[in-house]
């Protein structure tokens, strides 16, 4: 996941906005209590998500893959005053830490955490979205994208995480590696699909920004 030197990564973080204190605490608790804490967005990517959300100023946000809620709280920073954020995850063991920090945030009552299969939950939400963040099981990225595009407002932004997949997108494909196979197809899809325009940013593990036309 480290495509630049650790020294440069540290420099980048030191010259980016500090993360809010609530996120510092969430970062620490995630690393203390949760398996695979590297899945958390973290300081730099979190500030990127926050900045993009502030530029977009979305009314409704959808996140697929909540984990412990760090990215959701970053995205909420740019949300309109009366906005909502729906976030979906399948892991019941993460619900308590998610809700703890959502309730401590300025957006208590505006962030709605859904437990279950995103492909089943999304059709029940009955909203149009201005900003979507896809950061869940890679095997369903194409399914998520095709489900999301029709419920996006024109000009809405779809962010897709982990699209460089620790550099595996450049390696010879193992036929049994479905995650990499789907990500390769996904990266081609969002680059060629006439419904969006896309730029792939080499931020952390790769972040694609797709604007709905």
């Amino acid at each position: 996941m480290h495509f630049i030197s650790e020294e440069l990564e540290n420099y980048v973080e030191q010259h980016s906005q500090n993360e809010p204190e609530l996120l510092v605490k969430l970062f620490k608790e995630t690393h203390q209590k949760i398996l695979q804490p590297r899945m958390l967005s973290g300081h730099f990517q979190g500030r990127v998500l926050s900045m993009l959300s502030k530029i977009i100023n979305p009314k409704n946000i959808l996140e697929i893959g909540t984990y412990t809620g760090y990215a959701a709280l970053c995205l909420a920073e740019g949300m309109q005053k009366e906005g909502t954020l729906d976030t979906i995850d399948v892991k019941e063991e993460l619900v308590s830490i998610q809700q703890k920090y959502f309730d401590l945030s300025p957006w208590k009552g505006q962030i709605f955490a859904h437990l279950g299969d995103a492909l089943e939950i999304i059709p029940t939400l009955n909203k149009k979205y201005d900003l979507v963040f896809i950061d869940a099981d890679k095997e369903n990225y194409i399914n998520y994208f095709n489900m999301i595009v029709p419920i996006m407002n024109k000009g809405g932004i779809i962010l897709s995480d982990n699209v460089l997949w620790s550099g595996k997108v450049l390696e010879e494909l193992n036929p049994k590696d479905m995650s990499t196979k789907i990500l390769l197809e996904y990266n081609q899809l969002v680059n060629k699909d006439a419904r969006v325009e896309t730029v792939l940013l080499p931020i952390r593990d790769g972040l694609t920004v797709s604007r709905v036309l």
Side-chain angles (χ1 to χ4, degrees):
M1 192 179 292
H2 297 277
F3 299 114
I4 61 175
S5 69
E6 187 175 346
E7 291 79 10
L8 268 177
E9 286 187 350
N10 291 335
Y11 184 87
V12 167
E13 284 200 8
Q14 291 163 8
H15 292 81
S16 298
Q17 194 76 32
N18 290 334
E19 55 192 334
E21 185 60 32
L22 183 65
L23 292 182
V24 173
K25 292 178 180 177
L26 174 53
F27 182 92
K28 183 177 181 180
E29 186 167 348
T30 299
H31 279 74
Q32 288 174 336
K33 299 180 179 179
I34 307 298
L35 294 174
Q36 296 181 305
R38 69 193 291 270
M39 292 173 61
L40 184 142
S41 291
H43 176 193
F44 173 59
Q45 187 177 18
R47 291 306 86 202
V48 171
L49 296 177
S50 169
M51 182 66 76
L52 289 172
S53 184
K54 287 171 182 173
I55 292 169
I56 298 161
N57 190 218
K59 180 179 180 182
N60 293 322
I61 303 171
L62 172 63
E63 178 186 43
I64 306 174
T66 315
Y67 192 49
T68 57
Y70 188 101
L73 291 170
C74 293
L75 294 168
E77 291 177 32
M79 186 167 59
Q80 292 180 23
K81 186 176 180 180
E82 304 300 324
T84 65
L85 190 156
D86 292 291
T87 182
I88 306 169
D89 206 288
V90 296
K91 295 183 179 178
E92 188 173 359
E93 65 270 21
L94 297 176
V95 169
S96 60
I97 188 171
Q98 294 166 6
Q99 203 58 55
K100 172 184 175 181
Y101 282 90
F102 293 160
D103 288 345
L104 288 170
S105 79
W107 306 283
K108 180 181 179 180
Q110 292 175 266
I111 300 178
F112 302 97
H114 306 270
L115 179 65
D117 184 340
L119 294 174
E120 295 178 0
I121 291 171
I122 291 170
T124 71
L125 298 177
N126 297 316
K127 291 181 185 176
K128 296 282 280 186
Y129 290 96
D130 307 296
L131 176 59
V132 174
F133 183 41
I134 304 175
D135 188 18
D137 54 313
K138 312 312 165 193
E139 292 88 345
N140 272 311
Y141 263 40
I142 292 173
N143 294 329
Y144 295 143
F145 178 80
N146 285 323
M147 181 173 282
I148 286 164
V149 171
I151 60 172
M152 295 291 295
N153 286 316
K154 185 176 180 180
I157 299 295
I158 301 170
L159 304 173
S160 309
D161 200 16
N162 304 117
V163 292
L164 295 180
W165 208 221
S166 298
K168 290 182 181 179
V169 292
L170 294 179
E171 298 173 1
E172 184 176 350
L173 180 63
N174 180 341
K176 296 181 180 179
D177 184 354
M178 290 305 298
S179 294
T180 302
K181 180 178 182 294
I182 295 298
L183 278 174
L184 287 167
E185 294 174 5
Y186 182 76
N187 290 340
Q188 291 242 18
L189 169 64
V190 296
N191 191 39
K192 302 294 185 184
D193 195 307
R195 298 174 294 177
V196 298
E197 57 181 351
T198 293
V199 60
L200 196 164
L201 305 176
I203 292 173
R204 200 162 177 257
D205 196 27
L207 181 70
T208 292
V209 180
S210 302
R211 177 176 174 269
V212 178
L213 300 175

